[in-house]
Amino acid sequence: MIHPKTAEEIELMRESALVVSRTLGMLASEIKPGVTGLYLDRLAEEFIREQGATPGFLGMYDFPNTLNISPNAQVVHGIPTDEPFKEGDIVSVDCGSLKNGYYGDHAFTFEVGEVAPETRKLLQVTRESLYVGIREFRAGNRVGDVGYAIQQYCESHGYGVVRELVGHGLGKKLHEAPEMPNYGKRGRGKMFVEGMVVAIEPMINMGTRRIRQLKDGWTILTADGKPSAHFEHNVALINGKPELLSTFRYIYEALGISSDEEAEFRQHPITS
């Protein structure tokens, strides 16, 4: 069952989302060759707690860490390790927080030093597909409209769209209805209603869409060993239009990147 949120609940969820946004922004300047996932995980847990929140993933379904850290061919759900990142790696960092009883949950794939041009293109197209999908999250549309838009955009560039893992509703639970696949058919699935809050998160592979899971029970990898990218935002349906609750602004500030990609999805400015 879908649980639309009141205006007051959406503002509480915005606070939770921004905890994650600021955490990812803090981590952005730390991700470099020689750094380990476990180091980032310790930084993130401390920083989330300093903001009056608790890590949303730690202990969830018995997950052992604060962050999902998934480098290179790992798609999602990677467990942080003490293996140092190398020049040319890409690292997906997925983070969650719980504050005021509501979850925030989003992700960004970072470049470690200089990456190969074809890898940089994968990240660019995946990030662009996130906004292509968000654009379809509006009154009168359905789940399939978002998935179709993401799928068509990524497949037009020759990439594989993961089927087994999906976005989701968000609220007092980390995973609520509806599921938000990154593939689909227009006009199919649940209709969007005012007050819905969802996590839209393309998971896109450079090669095949097929995946496999490690014996740790968590880590998902591409079946062909080629890189995968993952970007995620939290979005509310307000006045019939998508409103971002999360932001990549803090990441871009840390990395010295100028971007207006979020402007069309902000009915309210970020004040914190």
Side-chain angles (χ1 to χ4, degrees):
M1 180 182 294
I2 294 172
H3 298 284
K5 309 302 188 292
T6 65
E8 292 76 16
E9 287 178 307
I10 288 173
E11 289 312 305
L12 291 175
M13 294 193 68
R14 193 190 305 274
E15 289 185 31
S16 300
L18 289 177
V19 168
V20 178
S21 299
R22 288 188 288 267
T23 303
L24 292 175
M26 178 273 296
L27 294 173
S29 58
E30 300 285 343
I31 297 174
K32 60 192 71 172
V35 168
T36 70
L38 282 172
Y39 171 72
L40 297 180
D41 194 71
R42 290 191 294 270
L43 289 180
E45 179 176 356
E46 181 180 354
F47 192 72
I48 289 169
R49 294 189 188 281
E50 287 174 353
Q51 296 179 80
T54 57
F57 296 169
L58 183 61
M60 176 73 67
Y61 313 123
D62 294 325
F63 187 74
N65 294 89
T66 292
L67 300 175
N68 292 163
I69 296 185
S70 310
N72 301 320
Q74 293 186 17
V75 181
V76 288
H77 301 165
I79 297 174
T81 72
D82 59 3
E83 182 176 350
F85 303 138
K86 303 183 300 296
E87 182 84 13
D89 284 348
I90 57 171
V91 182
S92 169
V93 180
D94 194 355
C95 181
S97 73
L98 177 63
K99 186 175 183 180
N100 299 320
Y102 293 89
Y103 281 93
D105 167 25
H106 50 285
F108 193 91
T109 301
F110 295 89
E111 301 177 16
V112 182
E114 290 294 322
V115 305
E118 60 268 25
T119 304
R120 182 171 291 115
K121 181 183 177 184
L122 170 68
L123 269 59
Q124 177 184 338
V125 170
T126 305
R127 191 178 68 253
E128 290 171 351
S129 79
L130 171 61
Y131 297 105
V132 167
I134 291 171
R135 207 167 282 123
E136 298 296 322
F137 182 60
R138 60 178 187 266
N141 277 6
R142 294 178 179 269
V143 166
D145 295 307
V146 172
Y148 175 87
I150 292 171
Q151 179 183 9
Q152 293 302 306
Y153 191 79
C154 293
E155 289 183 349
S156 72
H157 287 84
Y159 298 137
V161 179
V162 174
R163 303 291 201 274
E164 295 87 348
L165 303 159
V166 298
H168 50 89
L170 192 67
K172 289 186 175 180
K173 295 182 179 180
L174 181 62
H175 298 112
E176 295 188 353
E179 292 189 344
M180 297 289 295
N182 297 304
Y183 66 96
K185 296 183 178 180
R186 287 202 176 279
R188 301 287 182 88
K190 296 287 187 181
M191 181 175 286
F192 301 134
V193 298
E194 185 75 8
M196 282 182 66
V197 179
V198 297
I200 297 176
E201 49 178 320
M203 290 158 274
I204 309 300
N205 300 342
M206 184 178 287
T208 179
R209 68 176 177 84
R210 294 190 296 275
I211 58 174
R212 63 186 181 92
Q213 188 174 43
L214 289 184
K215 292 181 180 180
D216 63 18
W218 284 102
T219 307
I220 304 294
L221 299 94
T222 60
D224 58 9
K226 292 183 179 180
S228 183
H230 177 211
F231 292 87
E232 178 181 12
H233 266 314
N234 301 157
V235 196
L237 191 63
I238 300 176
N239 299 323
K241 298 186 294 186
E243 164 84 2
L244 285 180
L245 304 183
S246 54
T247 182
F248 295 152
R249 185 185 78 177
Y250 302 109
I251 295 172
Y252 294 153
E253 287 176 352
L255 298 178
I257 296 172
S258 177
S259 172
D260 62 356
E261 65 188 16
E262 298 179 2
E264 67 178 287
F265 307 111
R266 293 226 173 270
Q267 302 176 48
H268 303 86
I270 301 171
T271 57
S272 61

